[in-house]
Amino acid sequence: MTLVDSPEKRQSLHEQAVRQFHEAAEIMDLNPDYRAILAHPKNEVIVNFPVRMDSGEYRSFRGYRIQHNNLLGPYKGGIRFSPHVDLDEVKALATWMTWKSALCDIPFGGGKGGIAFNPREHSREELERIVRRFTHALGSNIGPDHDIPAPDLGSNGQTMVWMMDTYANSTAAANRQSVKGVVTGKPIESGGSLGREKATGQGVLFSLQHWCDETGTDLAGLRVAIQGYGNVGSNVGRLFEVYGAQVIAVADHTGAIINNDGISAFELAEHVEKVGGVAGYSAAGECSVEDFWAADVDVLVPAALENQITMANVDSIQARLIIEAANGPTTPNAELAFLAGGGEVLPDILVNAGGVVVSYFEWLQNKSAQPWTLDVVDHKLRDTLMAAADRTVVAKGNFGCTRRHAAYIVALDKLQRVYNQRGIFP
Ligand code: GLU
């Protein structure tokens, strides 16, 4: 196991998310009434449901759907399958989704869900029954104009098709065709969008390009370490390589590898696809987790779990730029230490928003029953993320704050303007 498990991990993730929120709210002087509303999710749905295992026995699962805020549009966010899933984690992730959508100016709120289990331990048949039974248990808590799940860690396009099909089958026959947008991240044939699969990685590339333009840095030749080589990490590696960056070290749940002369991101992706992890990749040497963090690189891309860059490893990091492709990978204290040491952090709500932005495009395509070309998707994604990054840089200048706080301020300012117009009901 190469993922860090430091004592800080026992701190509540939701408390960390709320701390970041209050810090930004303080700097921008957010209206205290809105502050009170936004510090908590609106709804917390917990479902316990039975599923038949292949052995014939039934097992009870616990699933969550947290609806943080829907001022700007339907609750929106992924469904995570991992043994780590608990109420605290999903609350934090749902909160970050609200900021992400507001920052990118897309008409969605924030939500997140999950089931506490390890999908790798189940057959495809068991997985299907778990997903369908969970969707049934959520019932009308989700809906194409109410709360729209998407893939996250441990789930994928197939998961979304099972959710969509289950939801559609509990909808009146005459309305079934209009509920495709109840989930996004679907495979193309089942109503997905071109470019959705790579969207988060694509957005990470745009964030790096934006930062390179801002700071006058040449992307080509940057040396990169990536933690996590699933959907996000492997797309980041391949896209960075296409633009001339060099992947030097990669770590995931199976091990860590390093090659100071560079690792082929494409070959590694094929290897991971075949064997399920980076371990055993022959064109790089195995290394320890400590060596991975201390790799001689310019850029570190955490693309796995939260709380990975902590006070236990931050001092060993050689990279000068952390690009948060994962949600919440850097603890607040570690971020302070990294910034104090002269490093820079591109924050998660900006960097990894490509996924939810293309989810929005998919939802629009479902509503209009009109597919977009990949070119259109990529261009609109680029425009959306570059504009969000521009707004963040402006806020950073205006408030003289960190880039994370600036991104929060852009999001909170948008929410504040809408609350000012609509008022608080009743
Ligand atoms: N799970 C992704 C995220 O954390 C995507 C969410 C979505 O597409 O709704 O941003």
Side-chain angles (χ1 to χ4, degrees):
M1 186 73 182
T2 58
L3 302 180
V4 169
D5 197 3
S6 88
E8 271 181 297
K9 199 165 178 175
R10 286 190 279 278
Q11 279 181 0
S12 156
L13 192 69
H14 184 240
E15 275 164 24
Q16 288 180 29
V18 171
R19 168 177 160 183
Q20 292 166 339
F21 158 68
H22 281 307
E23 286 168 357
E26 198 67 43
I27 298 170
M28 70 173 294
D29 199 18
L30 182 72
N31 176 312
D33 296 332
Y34 311 155
R35 199 160 154 173
I37 295 172
L38 292 166
H40 304 279
K42 272 198 170 177
N43 304 311
E44 301 177 20
V45 180
I46 301 181
V47 290
N48 292 298
F49 54 94
V51 180
R52 184 169 44 80
M53 298 290 97
D54 292 342
S55 65
E57 282 169 347
Y58 279 82
R59 203 181 125 185
S60 181
F61 289 80
R62 173 164 294 187
Y64 304 85
R65 187 68 188 171
I66 304 303
Q67 299 172 332
H68 177 260
N69 190 272
N70 64 348
L71 183 74
L72 304 179
Y75 302 108
K76 184 80 189 86
I79 295 279
R80 175 171 287 203
F81 294 162
S82 152
H84 296 276
V85 165
D86 61 17
L87 184 61
D88 177 74
E89 182 186 60
V90 188
K91 275 166 70 176
L93 292 163
T95 307
W96 286 323
M97 289 308 302
T98 300
W99 315 148
K100 231 182 266 189
S101 299
L103 169 63
C104 293
D105 219 357
I106 57 174
F108 283 148
K112 201 81 169 204
I115 308 177
F117 83 113
N118 184 352
R120 292 193 185 96
E121 286 169 2
H122 293 271
S123 67
R124 183 184 160 91
E125 290 70 28
E126 285 182 352
L127 270 180
E128 177 170 353
R129 289 195 292 272
I130 293 166
V131 172
R132 287 188 183 275
R133 194 61 183 73
F134 175 54
T135 310
H136 177 76
L138 289 176
S140 58
N141 287 298
I142 59 171
D145 292 305
H146 174 47
D147 183 356
I148 308 159
D152 197 78
L153 203 85
S155 61
N156 55 30
Q158 179 61 68
T159 315
M160 294 304 119
V161 178
W162 287 329
M163 289 191 81
M164 177 187 73
D165 188 72
T166 307
Y167 185 86
N169 276 293
S170 358
T171 304
N175 297 332
R176 271 183 207 155
Q177 299 305 327
S178 62
V179 298
K180 276 205 173 127
V182 63
V183 288
T184 58
K186 302 178 287 290
I188 311 297
E189 303 76 12
S190 295
S193 173
L194 291 169
R196 175 61 184 84
E197 180 108 5
K198 69 171 170 100
T200 307
Q202 186 72 55
V204 177
L205 173 72
F206 291 148
S207 294
L208 175 59
Q209 287 176 328
H210 190 278
W211 180 85
C212 284
D213 283 349
E214 181 196 333
T215 56
T217 308
D218 205 354
L219 200 163
L222 286 178
R223 291 163 62 86
V224 183
I226 303 174
Q227 189 206 27
Y229 216 68
N231 173 288
V232 179
S234 67
N235 278 305
V236 166
R238 286 175 287 187
L239 287 162
F240 279 22
E241 187 174 296
V242 168
Y243 284 83
Q246 208 180 19
V247 177
I248 300 295
V250 182
D252 73 0
H253 63 285
T254 64
I257 56 171
I258 192 161
N259 183 341
N260 278 308
D261 296 325
I263 292 170
S264 161
F266 285 83
E267 269 178 34
L268 180 62
E270 278 169 30
H271 170 83
V272 171
E273 183 77 29
K274 238 182 274 153
V275 309
V278 301
Y281 180 63
S282 56
E286 262 179 50
C287 69
S288 64
V289 197
E290 290 76 20
D291 290 343
F292 167 78
W293 293 115
D296 177 18
V297 294
D298 306 299
V299 178
L300 173 63
V301 185
L305 291 171
E306 55 269 10
N307 281 349
Q308 296 303 300
I309 298 166
T310 68
M311 292 308 283
N313 60 6
V314 68
D315 287 341
S316 67
I317 293 173
Q318 300 301 307
R320 295 331 304 146
L321 179 67
I322 293 174
I323 308 184
E324 294 185 333
N327 291 305
T330 316
T331 64
N333 290 342
E335 180 179 18
L336 284 177
F338 190 71
L339 296 177
E344 279 223 64
V345 179
L346 302 188
D348 48 7
I349 61 167
L350 176 64
V351 167
N352 70 32
V356 71
V357 170
V358 178
S359 277
Y360 167 52
F361 299 161
E362 177 175 334
W363 184 73
L364 286 177
Q365 292 169 73
N366 291 160
K367 273 193 180 291
S368 62
Q370 220 172 24
W372 300 2
T373 62
L374 181 58
D375 214 37
V376 168
V377 170
D378 282 348
H379 273 92
K380 281 183 182 283
L381 173 62
R382 188 172 197 286
D383 289 350
T384 306
L385 293 183
M386 291 300 185
D390 285 345
R391 288 192 284 276
T392 302
V393 171
V394 171
K396 182 171 175 276
N398 287 346
F399 289 91
C401 59
T402 66
R403 213 175 275 266
R404 186 184 313 279
H405 289 144
Y408 272 57
I409 287 170
V410 174
L412 295 175
D413 180 60
K414 166 95 198 237
L415 288 155
Q416 171 151 268
R417 279 182 287 129
V418 178
Y419 273 124
N420 283 342
Q421 289 162 6
R422 290 178 60 163
I424 301 169
F425 182 81

